[in-house]
Amino acid sequence: MLPTLILSAPHAGILYINGRFAGEVGPEEALMRPVNPRGAVYLDYRPLDESCRGMARRLVFSGGEPMAASAEEAEGADIVLWPGGAVEIELSPEPRRGEARHFQAAGRALTLESDGRLLCEGRQLALLPPGAQQPEYRALSGGAAFLGLCEGGRYLLTADAELRTQTGLLRARQIDIEPGGNIRAVAARDDQVGHATLESWQLLPEGLRLLASEPAWADGAPRWPQTASETARAAVEAALAGLDGEAEGYLSPALRARAPLRGIREKCDLCVGMKYAAPDPRPCVGLLRLEAANLARVRPMYYRVSPSGGLQGAYQIEELELG
């Protein structure tokens, strides 16, 4: 079976594979092409607007999948290996430098570059998270704080009072600075059920200090799974988070006695829905394991459920099997 490339990019562009025009690729619809299971594959992406730069990458295939060494060299190409020979590649071209934003804080001139670098009087103070917007400055007893929006929520950058050195960086769904100067953050896991952590921080001259942390729900209450697939994913996600009691609550008594999720954290980093059909037609979810900075592999975990009126959703898992 030939491996199939499934390519996408954040901006519309045209793609050449091994020097031949393959078609248009973008964020809305992936481009799919079979390739040889051995040898080099050359990808040449050319954007249709001025928002980003073009990029060319080389991947060497062996046994129907990219070799780890060539994947690591393909900077800007995030690769996921799915069961059945699907090789999903998201191209992340370098954005063109846009207009910088200038503002004042603590009597000093700051610049937020389009690539996320925050400069203080021409010297880099910090690299902000992706999508970071211009922050609000707050002077606290332990130093300086910059609070702003970014992809997925908010960020808090801390520095010494003279803005010479970064002392900390938080990212969370919500971050607030209380009147007394304490910092409260809601860090969401972005899982099926909506687990989160409510954190309290204090800014000291040497950096951020965690005062307290407690479990919470990102939306104020749990979103218990309502489908079979959601139930399987929720069970694995609970086990990955170390919530063994909740994970066992999704299992039937007979399956619970076999402890099928024991050691799951050594097998995967995330549980995902299956985007492409697995070789076995049984229903399954995907266990994703990161093998390199830009290379991950998905293995199927097959499940069988039965209807249930339990406290943790509409189904109970009767069987789990790792493919």
Side-chain angles (χ1 to χ4, degrees):
M1 179 184 295
L2 294 178
T4 300
L5 299 186
I6 304 165
L7 298 126
S8 64
H11 304 279
I14 56 176
L15 188 70
Y16 290 79
I17 299 177
N18 292 339
R20 296 183 178 181
F21 176 72
E24 184 173 332
V25 65
E28 302 298 330
E29 187 171 351
L31 178 68
M32 305 178 70
R33 289 291 185 277
V35 294
N36 289 328
R38 292 177 57 87
V41 174
Y42 298 90
L43 304 175
D44 182 4
Y45 167 76
R46 305 177 189 182
L48 293 173
D49 58 29
E50 297 297 319
S51 60
C52 61
R53 303 178 186 276
M55 60 183 290
R57 296 293 184 267
R58 172 179 178 266
L59 292 172
V60 179
F61 277 68
S62 178
E65 60 185 43
M67 298 179 66
S70 75
E72 290 179 358
E73 293 172 356
E75 184 179 355
D78 294 320
I79 305 166
V80 180
L81 306 178
W82 293 85
V87 181
E88 187 175 30
I89 303 175
E90 181 179 5
L91 302 174
S92 299
E94 181 183 349
R96 293 189 184 274
R97 183 165 294 185
E99 183 178 351
R101 285 165 280 181
H102 305 279
F103 59 103
Q104 296 280 328
R108 290 171 171 79
L110 285 94
T111 302
L112 177 56
E113 299 282 2
S114 59
D115 59 3
R117 291 181 301 136
L118 181 63
L119 310 180
C120 178
E121 298 182 337
R123 179 178 51 84
Q124 181 169 324
L125 176 62
L127 180 63
L128 299 182
Q133 299 184 21
Q134 181 176 318
E136 171 192 354
Y137 167 74
R138 290 281 300 274
L140 303 180
S141 60
F146 295 89
L147 182 62
L149 298 173
C150 66
E151 289 181 7
R154 299 174 74 84
Y155 71 91
L156 178 78
L157 167 73
T158 61
D160 65 287
E162 290 75 30
L163 306 188
R164 294 172 303 195
T165 306
Q166 174 184 341
T167 61
L169 180 66
L170 287 180
R171 288 183 65 183
R173 175 175 291 191
Q174 183 63 39
I175 303 176
D176 297 293
I177 302 176
E178 298 178 333
N182 278 357
I183 299 159
R184 291 179 64 84
V186 178
R189 292 186 62 89
D190 295 325
D191 56 11
Q192 293 287 304
V193 182
H195 292 100
T197 304
L198 182 61
E199 301 171 341
S200 179
W201 296 82
Q202 180 185 19
L203 178 58
L204 302 174
E206 58 269 24
L208 288 164
R209 175 191 175 198
L210 181 63
L211 300 177
S213 174
E214 61 183 84
W217 299 110
D219 299 319
R223 302 186 302 266
W224 297 119
Q226 298 302 309
T227 68
S229 176
E230 288 176 355
T231 303
R233 287 187 61 183
V236 175
E237 289 171 344
L240 289 173
L243 303 172
D244 296 336
E246 181 181 316
E248 291 180 352
Y250 296 108
L251 311 180
S252 69
L255 183 60
R256 196 178 307 156
R258 290 156 49 192
L261 296 174
R262 183 181 300 158
I264 194 68
R265 278 174 280 186
E266 284 71 51
K267 297 182 175 68
C268 71
D269 301 301
L270 290 173
C271 184
V272 298
M274 293 296 292
K275 297 176 67 173
Y276 312 103
D280 191 312
R282 290 178 294 165
C284 60
V285 293
L287 302 187
L288 183 146
R289 185 72 169 175
L290 197 63
E291 297 186 350
N294 63 334
L295 177 66
R297 183 184 304 275
V298 176
R299 295 176 64 187
M301 174 170 272
Y302 300 98
Y303 61 84
R304 180 170 56 84
V305 300
S306 62
S308 169
L311 298 176
Q312 293 181 202
Y315 291 90
Q316 187 175 68
I317 302 174
E318 302 287 348
E319 190 67 48
L320 282 175
E321 180 186 334
L322 184 61

